[in-house]
Amino acid sequence: MQLEQEIERIYSLPDAEAQKEGRVVFNAFKDLLNKGQLRAAEPEDGNWRVRPWVKKGIMLGFRLGRITNMSINADFNFYDKDTYPLKYIDGMRDHIRVVPGGSSIRDGAYVAPRVVIMPPAYINVGAYVDEGAMIDSHALVGSCAQVGKRVHLSASAQLGGVLEPVGALPVIVEDDVLIGGNCGVYEGIIIRRQAILAAGTIVTGATPVYDLVRNKIYRKTADNPLIIPEGAVVVPGTRSLHRRDARPAESFAREHGLAVQTPIIIKYRDEKTETSVLLEEALR
């Protein structure tokens, strides 16, 4: 792809040289991001593949950009790189609901038809939000996060941004996932289709996830990201700090009754779960 080659070439240039010829290439690149024709990560044969050159193109935009005044008026002052203004959306044409109240979508993010954005929410550059998703109040879709069809990202839930390193997998949320209020998903985790994260669940790349149904522990490895299985219902739980390999720590933890937060899979979706999830459709 010629665009990929041009992004790689300009990305490698010193800033002064990149400024001379980078704008035209970057604008063409960003246009494809806005249309959803380029993604920082894409599904491929059931797995997800990172596109490092797309992340380089996004970072190139920050290098090329100059701080500019983006203020609404004298009372609402904003300053950012001119390469990343707010995204222009024609809600009537694009069939997107952006409910009044202070939400922001950064240029270079893709928002598909029938997405609902409740105020105030934020969608960062490189994010991909697919058809029928709901981004609820105070929710964050971080840089390069990939959100599938009919996902509900509930109030105050956060999908962390993963822009660097360029080879790192961003947060992936597949189709029909429900992420409860005040959840946090960080560090390039894959949440498979139809999974449910109960309110308050925090999942990071370093978090072990305990599956009570299948008697398994899911962890990130050197070669594979942490994956929440399809249809899993995950709740916040705790894990004892007692460790056989560290007696002083074990003794201290036992003495003070210490434990750490850990996600627990308590069930997989069933008919009862489906009934409660279908109630979400009335909001769209």
Side-chain angles (χ1 to χ4, degrees), residues 143-211:
S143 54
C144 299
Q146 307 291 298
V147 178
K149 293 179 172 62
R150 299 171 297 278
V151 167
H152 188 152
L153 188 63
S154 300
S156 298
Q158 296 195 352
L159 306 181
V162 182
L163 190 52
E164 295 182 277
V166 293
L169 186 76
V171 171
I172 307 292
V173 180
E174 294 186 343
D175 295 348
D176 299 299
V177 168
L178 173 59
I179 297 181
N182 289 298
C183 285
V185 182
Y186 308 103
E187 300 173 13
I189 294 161
I190 298 176
I191 302 180
R192 293 293 190 195
R193 61 185 302 273
Q194 294 194 312
I196 296 175
L197 268 60
T201 302
I202 306 296
V203 189
T204 73
T207 306
V209 177
Y210 292 80
D211 189 335

Side-chain angles (χ1 to χ4, degrees), residues 65-84:
R66 299 181 177 88
I67 300 294
T68 187
N69 188 338
M70 296 185 179
S71 300
I72 298 173
N73 55 42
D75 296 318
F76 289 86
N77 298 305
F78 301 97
Y79 301 86
D80 199 5
K81 295 292 185 79
D82 63 347
T83 43
Y84 288 118

Side-chain angles (χ1 to χ4, degrees), residues 32-50:
L32 295 179
L33 280 181
N34 279 317
K35 293 176 179 177
Q37 296 174 9
L38 278 183
R39 301 175 66 171
E42 293 183 282
E44 190 174 275
D45 299 326
N47 296 309
W48 284 84
R49 181 178 176 184
V50 181

Side-chain angles (χ1 to χ4, degrees), residues 119-134:
Y122 186 72
I123 300 175
N124 209 346
V125 60
Y128 185 102
V129 182
D130 214 335
E131 292 187 11
M134 173 176 278

